[in-house]
Amino acid sequence: MLQLLILHALAALAAPALVGWLGRRAFLVLALVPGSAAGWAVAQTGAALSGEPPSQSFLWVGGLGMHLTFRLDALSWLMTLIVGGIGALVLVYSAAYFAKGASALGRFAAVFVAFAGAMLGLVTTDNTLALYMFWELTTIFSYLLIGHYHERQASRRAASQAIMVTTLGGLAMLAGLVLLGSAAGGTTSLSLLVERAAAGELGAGDPGLLLPAAIVLILLGAVSKSALLPFHFWLPAAMAAPTPVSAYLHAAAMVKAGVYLVARLAPGFGQEGTWRAMVLALGLGTLLLGGYRALRQHDLKLLLAFGTVSQLGMMIAMVGYGSRAVALAGLAMIAAHALFKASLFLVVGIIDWSVGTRDMRELSGLGRSMPVVAAAATLATASMMGLPPLAGYVAKEAALEALAHDGDWLVLAILAVGSTLTVAYGLRFLAGAFATKEGVVASSPRYQSRLIALPPVVLALAGLAVGVVPAAVETALAPHAALYPGDAGHLVLWGGFGVPLAVTLAVLLGGYAMFRARGPIERAQAAVVPVPSADRVYRRSLVVLENLAADVTAVTQRGSLPAYLSIILAVTVVTAGGAAVLEGTLPASVRTADWWGQVAIAVFIAITALLAARSRRRLKAVLLLGASGYGMALLFAAHGAPDLALTQVMVETITLVILVLVLRRLPTYFSNRPLGGDRYLRMGLGIASGLAVGVMGMVAVAGRTATPVSEYLPDATYTYGYGRNIVNVLLVDTRAWDTMGEISVILVAATGVASLLFLRDRTGIVDPARNRRRSEREGVVWDDGGPDLAARMRQSPAGGAPQWLRAPARGQQWLRGGTTLAPRRRSVIFEIGTRLVFHTMIMLSLYLLFAGHNQPGGGFAGGLVAGTALMVRYLAGGRYELGEALPLQAGHLLGGGLVVATGAALIPLAFGGQALQTAVFELVLPVWGDVKIATALLFDVGVYVLVLGLVLDVLRSLGAEIDRHGEIEGVSDEEVAAS
Amino acid sequence: MTFDVTPSITLVILAAVLVAVGIHLMLERSLTRIVIGLVIASNGVNVLFLVAGGRAGSPPLNEGGSVADMADPLPQAMVLTAIVITLGMSAFLLAMAYRSWQLNGHDEVQDDLEDRRIVRRAARDVIARRVRDDSGATLAEDARVTRDETATDLGAVP
Amino acid sequence: MTWLVPLPVVVPLFAAGLAVVLGRRPRLQRWIATLALLTSLAVAIALIIAVDDGPIVVNVGGWVAPVGIALVIDRLSALMLAVSVAVTLAVLVYSGAQGVADKREGAPVAVYYPTFLVLSAGVSNAFISGDLFNLYVGFEILLAASFVLITLGGTRDRIRAGTIYVVVSLMSSLIFLTAIALIYAATGTVNIAQLGIRLVELDPGLQLVLHLMLLIAFGIKAAVFPLSAWLPDSYPTAPAPVTAVFSGLLTKVGVYAIIRTEVLLFPGGRLDTALLVVALVTMVVGILGAVAQDDVKRMLSFTLLSHIGFMVWGVALSSVTGLSAAVFYVVHHITAQTALFLVAGLIEHLGGTTSLTRLGSLARLAPGLALLYLLAAMNLGGIPPMTGFLGKVGLLQASAEAGTPLAWTLVAGGLVTSLLTLYAVTKAWNMAFWQEAESRRPARPMPASMVGATSGLVAMSLALAVGAGPLVDYTDRAARDLRLRTPYLEAVLPEGQYPTDVYEEAWGSVDGQG
């Protein structure tokens, strides 16, 4: 069976190409695919109807109990015949039906065949989850087929409606199936489920609610798929699909899926109260409603659609009824309905194709002009109305017989009424389609074709064939019916005189009478105020959904950063803080301070921070921030953390400079916005968070049970880290992995800053030439429009000025970049100072780098010091000076640093060590003599270079580049940004 | 090494104050203030690390001397990493502030426009035509206009 | 095998360094990046197989846990690693052609590839780290990279959206850092395995505090309601590939961290009920958000949000089946959501916009694209037989097994969410593919690499469905070991909490310890 499915899949994939190649004739080829399924079923008849049906099983997702198991028992055999046979016929029909140039035929063919495959899987699989899989696949394919003409709103709407409604039911069904799977004795094998349910082993010991719940959920699936109340409305709307689709999906195959599922499970669950109530109420209700609505349709397709709804209701009621005899009738009805309804839809298609309309008010005299089609239609309709000797008659008769035998008069009566309606709209259909009406111009068929007429004729004749040999049909259907409890029923043409015959006669007469009175009935129907139709309810609920969604989103999605932060903080304070306050235990003892100075420092830090927060001037805020930061450094130093203090000082300095560099361009004052309660909310949240942190901190330290891992460090770091400075060893060796990550953060941040500032420079890497002086005439840095003496000196009074009058040449100045500064910004003292201090600082930074392993310092401190040196050069000499100080690209430093550091991580791997593992080398150098070098140094060098790169990059972007932005004349920042 | 984690109330309070101030600033709309707030708040967390590390002690340097009153070095290493990361982050945030000033003439965080639009829509309860995609036509009306692209090239009746 | 473990982090970083140095050579950068990620992928796949017989632990620098930083790979992290790297690679190929790196976006080429590599390294680091503070560092790496990527080009929208993202992320880092400080204060260690031993010994009140702090920090990253509102405001404005890789990976890192927290650090399951409720609300509110959007990328961002709920649901069931389903769902969602965002990128490329009200008639213009969208969307909508469905079934079965009323409520919520997901994606399909566009605009040809990468990812998600059997078994085994905890703990701390020797055999040292 899997082979057949694969065949379908491949055919579907090939279909577009095939159609492209053969045109419409491709449909004839593709017809072989579903045809083969039917043929295979025929070949398997003997086995299928025997005790142990042919089956196949492939493991797929064992963990979820989802297997590809197939089983061709009597029911599946019947459905396979229908799905395959009618599928083939409809494809043949399509070959003639569609125009040569019809749009997207390839897609249509592909989806159609794919659907046939999914349907085949659905009716043959024995695994509940696989069943659901095929179930949903049919939904999707029908979605695409209904929406085939997606330029039409009607098609789009019908498609969305169909997929939503059937998926809703499908998901309910999934829940039900999972529920059954998890129940006591539950499984994902359909046949086992039914067996155990029949034996009452299913859900034994589970809460009584479990089984009914599962039944309701599963039936929801069946009911929605087969368009029963209250989901019936999607089916008529789905008539927007091309007629072949209506004939196959919405008459013969897909809508039968629900009926199939009910027939499949009824032997096990048919006796449950919930089951019977739901099946009968919805089934019979739909039977009546569908018939009633069909009576007033003028569009032949719609008439048939409502007829289908009605019949589906009847079938579900019959196969779900739970008694053997009725079930047999139901199965026969499935077959009969598939034959006559498909045939009728195809006939309507032919009329539409040939005459150009489906509206019975515009049709007349077709009975004469298309005798063959008319005959087929009459045969099919007769079968639908239940006239002997046709399939429909046999099935209905058997049902009446069985119900009479059980004495279930209520159901019998409803069935009779339903059948009466069927007769009425059946006649209405025939008359409407083929009768000659006075006052209507005889419609002339423009086209005829044997090919297109063939399928409906075949189907109609099949209906006749089934009718004349009821015994044979009975033997085919009996095996499944036998699974139901109750006495066996029979399919016969002549059941003798009795209630059924009487009922049938009454039904036929009543139906005819209603047909004669169709005029008044239509008017009456038009007159009665229609109850809010399910369709309108659906449309309304969509509107409600959309509005609800918008409202909820409007509440949760404010789009304001402060709001989001406030929510996060509120959650944190309330939950974590709350837990600390309510459940935490505070430490038994606290000390005021580690030493008296701590208090002073803390107060200083706190106050400066507070002032920074309160100040309305950007610069002031920043300077106060710096002060508080240096306070932190002091705190660290006093706490016994020299490295921390050193780094803090450096970082604080750089942060300060960066802030100042950026802020010089931003407005002096923070914009003063009117802040009401909003402000107090923020204060409140801040204070609350602070308190929370305080309390949590106390609770945390109070809870300390074990000694920290640090106890290992003093010995370990020296023995294995070859360094006295534990913190440095931690950074470059023990926890070097952290440091590696940290420097990559630095790299990314630096390049990111550049990328935001150098948007006009595509490479995003500072072009050194950019900050190198190109000519004496180059732009003047930091000019505030004051008198430029240097410029005046450069201007030659007459002809070339003598060399010595020019700005000093190389070697005759302290800082070359200096000459590019606006003279009023130059400070010779500063320049000289810089000149002197620069190299000292570089030396210091190198010392820190190498000494780091044993004394405070290390790569970070070193790099930061070097960076600071650069910063001084920049501040003293302007941006051209920066280019002079370090004619390297920041990118090279950043990247190179990371390469070196990660390289140091990789090398040990090559020698069978761990990443970043340190080794020590002792070598004798001429001057130093015997020195010990830990390879960790290499890593530290990488850090040093990268940090230097960071500072350079930041200076060049936030410093130099912002200078340039400021100097660009006539070019607004807007354009700088845009470029 | 000192494992005495009896908290110094001064440090705890300092951490609390710094966090409070920092958070307060981070709730502002001006990016500059947010940066300042971020730095202050992280300082607060760093102080919390000191608390976690225990009592102040001698620098964690192995000068052969006793390690009895050495401060716990592990939190120091972690704080050092955190400090540097914060430096990178705040530098980037500043660049953003500058950029936003370049673009908008101020460094204030704007609200999300799309969200605002939906808030307005929710207030009006209107659904776009293309979203609903439903003219409200009845089945019969739809059926009348719905026809398939059928063949016109088969044997026409003479 | 141990030498493989650090590579997914170190190699991309090394390559990133090179790429920055070669700032002027975009094509070369691209090759380096691709090569690096291919290496990571190979390593990750090798590790998946290797760890199936027990976690692999690497003591970085030879420093034995708990003193040094341990890198730990168990089935969970190996799986996460492989899927994330594969997805990242696909997106890299995609972005090679797409605008991110080119002039139209006005982005500096030099930054894109290195940053992208660092992002990948950060994600991998988060997955393999066995040390809480190092996990923080890993987060910072990927955050820093994501900051740069989300503001790429520095346009007005991206700066606005980026600000929300950056500041919220920094807030979450702050919370995480605080949590670490508290945890160190309470336990004196940051080694996750050791924490697994020490945290449970703490006083329950304190445990609750630490537990909550971590969950909040990770909840923000994973975008769990009500900490999630930042995501849909920030993701959609980024370039398509960036959004794609973010949606695939960043939130999942948060989910991964939540799994570790719930299973390894705080196995008590004290907050499970709360988490279940959170999961429910996340699913429903998120999907309603998706329904309300009429922009493809925003709609997708909300589905992303909503489906995070599915994973939290699985974790909070605190059963092996639930955990297994959650892990499977993570794998599914990484591929599905990323693929969808790549498709959205193609839509944007073709239609010139992501606004559904302006898009249209794509089904006619680009049938291939239509097929890709349909497959990816149906996968997200949980249509069988695709992974979205399998993951959902796993969760349903796990809840049925739990059988509590709350669990059944989540089943209902989950099904409603899938239905609404289907509604949202079909609505988008209807508007962008079926309806006629209001304004015609010439369709731009789609670069082969973009289509190729997208198709590759879609194909991958289909392949995952086909091979779901072994995958589910794998996640089952992973979940079982996670619940046991002992495999992890014993692998990291073979001698228990207090190893006698804290250093492995040194290499290349000329004369021992000198």
Side-chain angles (χ1 to χ4, degrees), chain A residues 97 152 352 591-592 671 710, chain B residues 4 10 72 108 147-148 151:
Chain A
Y97 181 74
R152 296 184 194 141
D352 198 2
R591 71 166 72 82
T592 336
S671 55
S710 326
Chain B
D4 167 11
T10 315
D72 186 345
E108 308 243 316
R147 292 208 62 253
D148 304 341

Side-chain angles (χ1 to χ4, degrees), chain A residues 389-702:
Chain A
L390 296 151
Y393 166 80
V394 174
K396 207 169 287 181
E397 208 61 6
L400 296 175
E401 172 64 49
L403 289 170
H405 175 276
D406 297 2
D408 191 337
W409 303 112
L410 175 61
V411 176
L412 189 144
I414 300 176
L415 201 58
V417 177
S419 312
T420 319
L421 294 172
T422 314
V423 175
Y425 70 73
L427 290 169
R428 189 159 184 277
F429 172 82
L430 273 186
F434 298 99
T436 313
K437 313 185 184 67
E438 61 279 5
V440 185
V441 283
S443 29
S444 61
R446 285 170 291 169
Y447 320 107
Q448 278 184 5
S449 141
R450 285 200 189 70
L451 181 60
I452 201 170
L454 178 69
V457 172
V458 171
L459 288 168
L461 290 178
L464 178 61
V466 169
V468 290
V469 287
V473 180
E474 181 176 330
T475 46
L477 303 180
H480 184 71
L483 300 175
Y484 289 72
D487 324 339
H490 297 290
L491 299 178
V492 288
L493 270 175
W494 175 248
F497 296 98
V499 182
L501 187 61
V503 174
T504 310
L505 290 174
V507 163
L508 292 175
L509 292 173
Y512 181 70
M514 284 184 78
F515 166 67
R516 293 305 300 273
R518 58 186 180 284
I521 292 177
E522 266 182 55
R523 282 191 288 284
Q525 283 205 18
V528 295
V529 205
V531 284
S533 75
D535 175 47
R536 203 171 298 121
V537 173
Y538 173 82
R539 284 172 161 172
R540 182 79 207 122
S541 53
L542 283 195
V543 175
V544 172
L545 170 65
E546 288 283 347
N547 288 333
L548 173 73
D551 295 340
V552 171
T553 313
V555 176
T556 55
Q557 207 67 28
R558 304 306 299 181
S560 132
L561 174 60
Y564 296 164
L565 291 179
S566 310
I567 295 174
I568 293 174
L569 289 165
V571 171
T572 318
V573 170
V574 171
T575 57
V581 173
L582 298 179
E583 297 203 6
T585 45
L586 293 172
S589 69
V590 297
R591 71 166 72 82
T592 336
D594 293 329
W595 62 292
W596 64 269
Q598 205 175 45
V599 184
I601 304 172
V603 169
F604 172 76
I605 298 173
I607 288 178
T608 42
L610 273 168
L611 291 176
R614 287 192 67 259
S615 99
R616 304 219 55 81
R617 292 191 60 182
R618 289 180 201 272
L619 209 53
K620 186 169 155 218
V622 168
L623 294 176
L624 285 163
L625 175 69
S628 141
Y630 290 120
M632 287 292 292
L634 205 54
L635 188 69
F636 290 145
H639 201 85
D643 291 85
L644 218 44
L646 191 56
T647 320
Q648 174 73 24
V649 169
M650 290 302 152
V651 167
E652 206 52 49
T653 315
I654 292 177
T655 317
L656 197 57
V657 173
I658 295 174
L659 276 160
V660 174
L661 286 177
V662 172
L663 296 195
R664 72 201 147 128
R665 295 269 290 169
L666 268 57
T668 327
Y669 290 92
F670 290 113
S671 55
N672 234 335
R673 295 180 303 112
L675 302 156
D678 179 21
R679 173 189 210 143
Y680 294 105
L681 176 76
R682 285 186 282 111
M683 280 185 176
L685 260 177
I687 294 168
S689 319
L691 287 176
V693 167
V695 177
M696 289 192 291
M698 300 280 269
V699 173
V701 287

Side-chain angles (χ1 to χ4, degrees), chain B residues 23 26 31 34 38 41-42 45-46 48-49 52-53 72 74-75 78 81-82 85 89 92-93 96 99-100 103-104 109-115 117-118 121 128-131 133, chain C residues 133 136 140 144 147-148 151 153-156 159-160 162-163 166-167 170-171 174 177-178 180-182 184-185 190 233 292-294 298 356-357 359-360 427 430-431 435-436 438:
Chain B
I23 295 292
M26 284 181 84
L31 268 174
I34 293 180
L38 173 69
S42 359
V45 179
N46 295 344
L48 196 62
F49 265 99
D72 186 345
L74 191 50
M78 296 196 266
T81 311
I85 289 178
M89 296 298 188
F92 185 78
L93 206 50
M96 285 180 72
R99 182 72 184 157
S100 118
L103 293 168
N104 311 320
V109 186
Q110 302 299 298
D111 278 1
D112 186 87
L113 307 172
E114 193 66 15
D115 286 339
R117 216 175 50 67
I118 287 177
R121 211 196 82 206
R129 183 179 51 75
R130 277 174 67 90
V131 173
D133 194 28
Chain C
F133 186 78
Y136 162 80
E140 293 307 303
F147 293 169
V148 177
T151 54
T155 62
R156 188 178 264 107
I159 292 294
R160 188 186 58 236
T163 317
V166 170
V167 177
L170 289 175
M171 179 62 77
L174 218 50
L177 201 56
T178 316
I180 294 177
L182 296 173
Y184 186 82
V190 284
D233 288 351
Q293 304 304 317
D294 46 20
R298 287 187 75 90
L356 289 168
T357 47
L359 283 166
K427 191 173 85 178
N430 183 343
M431 293 172 81
Q435 293 188 34
E436 291 298 311
E438 272 159 11

